[in-house]
Amino acid sequence: MVLSALKGLLSPNTLSRLTPLGGFEARVYTDGERVYKVYRPGEAHLAALEAERMARAGLGSFVLGVAQVEGQGVLVIRHFPGRPFSPEAFTPKALAALSHLFLSLHRLPEPGYVEREELLERLERFAESLGSVPEALSLIKALMREITWVAGVEKRFCHRDAWAGNLLLKTQEHRSHDDPEVLLVDWVRSGGDDPARDLALLKTGSLDLLGERAAREALFRLVQFYPKEVRERLAFYVPLTYLHDLHWFRTKNPEGFLEALADKLPRALSFFQDCFPLGNRAC
């Protein structure tokens, strides 16, 4: 079904060269020069939406076209010579590029404010699924006491899905290429949010592959040019993000929950303990 959409766009020669790249929201293929994201019927509109959000993020030059074929949406983007985030490819130059990328995104205003009710509802949902884990429940209650301080922040444009598979680092053989050093892909979840949450997702989804100590060092170097209040809100959003991951495992992938719990809960507790009270030197 997916390839039927591409058959309406591509020559037989190009079709024969396609390599599948997987994908969650869409099925993704490449011919080495272009990447084709195919959204199934019912979600075809996401192809155009993602193109719009890439343009807002300053990545419009990567968008080559949007089409609808047999009810499916197709986004065509320029291939980026990079690979998913890995510790061995993460250089100081990549960190500097990543810092510039997120700062640029988070300067873009979005309508609305972070709502107290939304944060409370999220934590209550986590309490329901993780209530049998005393340390997790204690952390959830501690974060609930901080909601008033965190809520009310003006939203900024955020990627909101910066896990390792969506963060591409330029490969060694393309270091002299004109493309940026790093590229974020999959923009369908992007939108208005607290920049501190976006940065927390970057840590838990990508930087943690470096190991906890190196991940924190990279995070704090990356956020050094942010306002103090954004840096302080990491103390709330980093633990919250780990709790979100645990909630996901508990409800969507229970067979992996215990392994995730052993990895993520100590990270969440440690970050919270080290970064509260605010201004703690550990952060």
Side-chain angles (χ1 to χ4, degrees), residues 58-251:
L59 301 174
S61 63
F62 278 88
V63 178
L64 300 179
V66 176
Q68 286 206 23
V69 182
E70 298 185 3
Q72 299 174 81
V74 182
L75 171 65
V76 185
I77 59 178
R78 182 161 55 87
H79 180 264
F80 176 76
R83 295 175 183 168
F85 183 99
S86 63
E88 60 272 12
F90 192 59
T91 64
K93 189 174 182 181
L95 178 61
L98 197 57
S99 177
H100 175 75
L101 171 59
F102 274 90
L103 279 167
S104 298
L105 286 182
H106 297 159
R107 290 190 181 104
L108 300 174
E110 288 285 312
Y113 299 84
V114 175
E115 298 289 342
R116 180 184 183 280
E117 291 74 17
E118 179 183 352
L119 293 172
L120 182 59
E121 180 183 350
R122 190 177 304 166
L123 284 167
E124 288 175 342
R125 190 163 64 249
F126 298 166
E128 183 177 346
S129 63
L130 302 173
S132 62
V133 183
E135 287 184 308
L137 188 58
S138 176
L139 177 59
I140 290 167
K141 291 179 178 178
L143 292 177
M144 284 181 173
R145 292 193 291 270
E146 304 296 335
I147 285 181
T148 300
W149 161 67
V150 176
V153 172
E154 292 184 0
K155 291 184 177 180
R156 297 285 172 160
F157 187 60
C158 296
H159 181 269
R160 302 199 293 192
D161 197 18
W163 72 285
N166 286 342
L167 178 55
L168 305 183
L169 305 178
K170 188 181 293 184
T171 53
Q172 187 65 38
E173 60 268 29
H174 294 99
R175 289 296 183 201
S176 60
H177 198 278
D178 289 338
D179 280 322
E181 194 73 15
V182 301
L183 181 71
L184 274 172
V185 298
D186 286 355
W187 288 85
V188 292
R189 297 184 185 181
S190 63
D193 213 325
D194 189 328
R197 179 169 182 256
D198 218 18
L199 295 164
L201 288 164
L202 173 66
K203 181 195 184 296
T204 62
S206 294
L207 297 180
D208 274 4
L209 293 177
L210 302 171
E212 182 61 22
R213 180 176 179 180
R216 286 200 195 188
E217 289 177 355
L219 176 66
F220 296 143
R221 285 183 61 190
L222 191 150
V223 302
Q224 63 183 314
F225 299 112
Y226 277 80
K228 180 173 179 282
E229 56 269 24
V230 175
R231 301 197 305 270
E232 289 180 339
R233 289 198 301 275
L234 289 172
F236 178 89
Y237 278 108
V238 169
L240 182 75
T241 303
Y242 285 121
L243 290 170
H244 178 275
D245 291 347
L246 293 175
H247 167 75
W248 184 89
F249 274 98
R250 197 46 160 311
T251 58

